[in-house]
Amino acid sequence: RTVLTTKTAMEAGTRSRRPVALSEAAGSTVLVWQSLPPVASILDEDAADDLLDQAWTQLNAAHSRGVSHQNLDGTRLLVDEDARLISVNDSMCRQLGYTRAEMLKLMIYDIDPAAPRPWSTFWERMRTTEGRRTFETIHATKDGRLIPVEVTTTYLEHNGRGYNFVFANDIANRKKMEEQLRLTQLSVDRARDQLFWITPQGRFVHVSDSTCE
């Protein structure tokens, strides 16, 4: 599945590490990926911005083939192997309340206190095995507010150097709805009246605590 996904992404025009060998050993599947040499970091802010634009173009291309995150709206940034923010888009700055210049002085832990630690271990895992990960976390604004977000981070290469391309979607409304559903469920479970839900076929799909009693 991983190899087929990579092939589809490459056919869409994205720059991806190429699988060079596939084998089986002791009941496990072994994948060998192309190795990319390290080079100097980006020092020019305009170059980093150009890389962010290129990454976004590539992810849109991958998305057109159904191999990237289903929702490409949101805030975006680039993180290097030292956990520094090297490029951010305007949406990220507005959401977190920083100027662009302020954000480019930050580390990933300044805006995401729950980011993986140590960064070097996470970085190596993204570079060598995972390549892409989607998870929920919290982003901290300049004034101390916490925003629940769903983050998709994708490892990519540019001129031989690796970067984590991150885009985040604000899921505060979704979390609020989930909490409301949880409270509704709790209210139903603890209701004194007998409450239950059944399918058209007459099967119980949920019963309240009072019904069980």
Side-chain angles (χ1 to χ4, degrees):
R1 179 180 178 181
T2 301
V3 173
L4 290 175
T5 300
T6 300
K7 182 176 182 295
T8 303
M10 292 171 62
E11 290 175 347
T14 66
R15 290 189 291 272
S16 304
R17 292 180 301 128
R18 297 174 180 271
V20 296
L22 174 64
S23 183
E24 291 187 359
S28 298
T29 301
V30 178
L31 280 172
V32 180
W33 296 91
Q34 174 191 23
S35 176
L36 298 171
V39 299
S41 62
I42 287 180
L43 298 178
D44 185 346
E45 181 179 318
D46 291 335
D49 291 342
D50 178 63
L51 175 57
L52 184 62
D53 291 339
Q54 290 184 45
W56 194 242
T57 299
Q58 289 191 55
L59 283 181
N60 271 296
H63 180 249
S64 70
R65 299 293 186 95
V67 293
S68 67
H69 192 266
Q70 61 182 355
N71 186 355
L72 291 179
D73 296 326
T75 56
R76 313 191 292 273
L77 58 91
L78 277 177
V79 187
D80 71 6
E81 61 183 313
D82 297 318
R84 295 177 302 153
L85 309 187
I86 64 169
S87 183
V88 296
N89 71 341
D90 291 339
S91 295
M92 178 69 77
C93 296
R94 285 194 300 269
Q95 184 186 75
L96 300 185
Y98 290 97
T99 66
R100 183 184 183 85
E102 288 174 332
M103 287 210 67
L104 295 180
K105 296 178 182 178
L106 302 179
M107 307 285 285
I108 187 63
Y109 300 111
D110 294 316
I111 65 169
D112 184 357
R117 296 174 185 266
W119 184 255
S120 58
T121 300
F122 172 74
W123 181 270
E124 187 64 14
R125 190 163 60 246
M126 290 293 293
R127 185 183 72 83
T128 59
T129 58
E130 293 189 27
R132 176 178 173 272
R133 180 192 289 189
T134 298
F135 55 94
E136 292 183 8
T137 187
I138 298 291
H139 277 178
T141 67
K142 185 178 180 179
D143 61 9
R145 291 181 297 110
L146 298 178
I147 302 173
V149 292
E150 182 181 71
V151 166
T152 295
T153 178
T154 303
Y155 181 84
L156 52 86
E157 303 276 348
H158 180 69
N159 290 336
R161 183 170 177 80
Y163 300 91
N164 264 332
F165 175 73
V166 180
F167 66 92
N169 287 313
D170 186 337
I171 57 172
N173 288 336
R174 190 178 84 189
K175 287 295 185 182
K176 183 177 181 180
M177 291 179 62
E178 290 174 352
E179 178 63 12
Q180 290 174 341
L181 287 173
R182 189 188 69 82
L183 292 175
T184 299
Q185 180 72 57
L186 185 63
S187 298
V188 168
D189 287 342
R190 296 188 177 181
R192 292 185 177 181
D193 295 331
Q194 295 185 6
L195 300 174
F196 51 87
W197 301 336
I198 60 174
T199 67
Q201 292 75 34
R203 296 183 59 186
F204 287 98
V205 294
H206 181 79
V207 293
S208 65
D209 293 342
S210 60
T211 302
C212 295
E213 293 171 357

